[in-house]
Amino acid sequence: MKITILTLFPEMFVGFKENSIMKRALGKGVATLELINIRDYTKDKYRRTDTPPIGGGAGLVQKAQPIVDAIEAARTPNSLVALMSPRGETYSQKKAVQYSKLDHLIIVCGHYEGIDERVNKYVDELISIGDYILTGGEIPAMGIADSVIRLLDGAIAEDSLIDESFNNDLLEYPQYTEPYDFNGDKVPDLLYSGDHKSVEKWRRKQSLSLTRKYRPDLFKNVNLSKSDKKLLDEIDKGDTPQWEEKANEVGRKFNHNRNSD
């Protein structure tokens, strides 16, 4: 897959490309990240890409010509062009999955006070990352590129993608590391039980509980199975069911024996 980002500040992406998972994924050829400087397409003799808005107003507005020419230079028959815009659809994991199946994604970064209205006619989609104001579209573009590339085959281990937050409209279950006891806050004993079925069930239960509590907007879209409803009923009653207590007991014995050695 190829991702092309049209920006006035390609240098902002240097660190993004050279670190962690992104560096490995790009190095392995999982994806290609192309940066195009919109300024290279201006016809202004001073290489300006912005101008005061017609009719007056604060700030500077990006001209249509450099952006449109950059889009047309980058566009291919299989491209989808997305413009970062507050009018756009709010970006989500579902949209990230859709983008990950494309051959070529072009992301256009706005900057300054905004862009000439006429640019909108040359893009396929408007995308927003939320109702707040940033200086430009570069940081949102990084977020989108990261969320898409990590979904591609070979970017990260497939198992790491299965239980992530927002998959199936659920938040991810709690994760723990050693030590078992950190300032009196202990890892749930069940996780030491070795009972994979109970661990999986507990994790599902926690995902349901956390999503219902913190993201009711997501929870209302969850297609609850009979087992999900039973787990939620256990939560609401505040009881520890037999399957959970049994796994907890095995985990407690494990930790007792381990700490006795």
Side-chain angles (χ1 to χ4, degrees):
M1 178 189 187
K2 181 178 181 180
I3 297 178
T4 299
I5 298 176
L6 308 187
T7 172
L8 289 172
F9 301 97
E11 63 274 11
M12 289 183 66
F13 294 84
V14 173
F16 174 73
K17 293 171 59 179
E18 292 298 321
N19 288 281
S20 189
I21 292 172
M22 200 56 48
K23 180 178 181 179
R24 294 197 300 271
L26 295 174
K28 290 163 60 177
V30 171
T32 300
L33 184 63
E34 177 186 35
L35 298 172
I36 292 180
N37 192 333
I38 296 170
R39 199 176 304 279
D40 291 341
Y41 289 86
T42 183
K43 295 179 180 178
D44 185 281
K45 65 179 180 179
Y46 300 109
R47 299 195 76 218
R48 289 183 59 117
T49 61
D50 54 11
T51 186
I54 294 175
L60 298 171
V61 176
Q62 283 188 258
K63 298 178 182 180
Q65 176 271 314
I67 298 176
V68 171
D69 284 358
I71 290 172
E72 295 307 315
R75 196 193 299 267
T76 65
N78 295 323
S79 299
L80 184 144
V81 183
L83 170 66
M84 306 308 306
S85 169
R87 301 181 195 175
E89 172 187 349
T90 302
Y91 192 67
S92 64
Q93 185 65 17
K94 181 178 179 181
K95 179 59 73 172
V97 172
Q98 292 175 0
Y99 280 173
S100 72
K101 297 176 181 178
L102 297 174
D103 292 325
H104 187 200
L105 172 64
I106 299 174
I107 304 173
V108 183
C109 301
H111 216 84
Y112 306 123
E113 189 63 24
I115 64 170
D116 189 302
E117 177 70 20
R118 292 166 291 188
V119 171
N120 292 310
K121 297 179 181 179
Y122 295 85
V123 304
D124 301 306
E125 293 186 359
L126 303 179
I127 291 291
S128 168
I129 63 164
D131 296 336
Y132 51 91
I133 300 171
L134 295 174
T135 304
E138 284 75 19
I139 291 175
M142 290 182 201
I144 291 174
D146 184 289
S147 68
V148 171
I149 291 175
R150 67 190 307 280
L151 291 174
L152 302 177
D153 290 342
I156 61 177
E158 187 175 351
D159 290 347
S160 298
L161 298 173
I162 295 173
D163 293 319
E164 290 185 316
S165 292
F166 308 117
N167 280 343
N168 302 315
D169 293 314
L170 287 176
L171 297 178
E172 189 175 5
Y173 50 78
Q175 299 275 23
Y176 296 90
T177 61
E178 295 290 352
Y180 166 66
D181 188 331
F182 177 73
N183 293 339
D185 194 0
K186 299 178 181 179
V187 178
D189 291 305
L190 177 145
L191 296 177
Y192 291 96
S193 67
D195 184 344
H196 300 300
K197 184 176 181 180
S198 293
V199 169
E200 183 179 349
K201 195 172 182 179
W202 178 87
R203 286 174 168 171
R204 179 71 179 184
K205 184 176 182 178
Q206 297 304 310
S207 289
L208 291 165
S209 179
L210 291 170
T211 307
R212 185 172 66 171
K213 179 178 180 179
Y214 292 105
R215 292 296 304 272
D217 57 318
L218 291 176
F219 186 76
K220 67 182 181 181
N221 296 321
V222 178
N223 185 16
L224 297 173
S225 64
K226 288 184 179 180
S227 58
D228 287 339
K229 293 176 181 178
K230 187 174 181 180
L231 291 173
L232 288 169
D233 188 54
E234 292 173 0
I235 295 168
D236 293 337
K237 288 180 178 179
D239 297 331
T240 303
Q242 186 176 3
W243 66 267
E244 192 170 343
E245 181 53 45
K246 182 178 178 181
N248 277 324
E249 181 60 30
V250 174
R252 279 193 290 270
K253 288 181 180 178
F254 170 84
N255 280 311
H256 176 75
N257 292 335
R258 181 175 65 162
N259 294 329
S260 298
D261 293 340

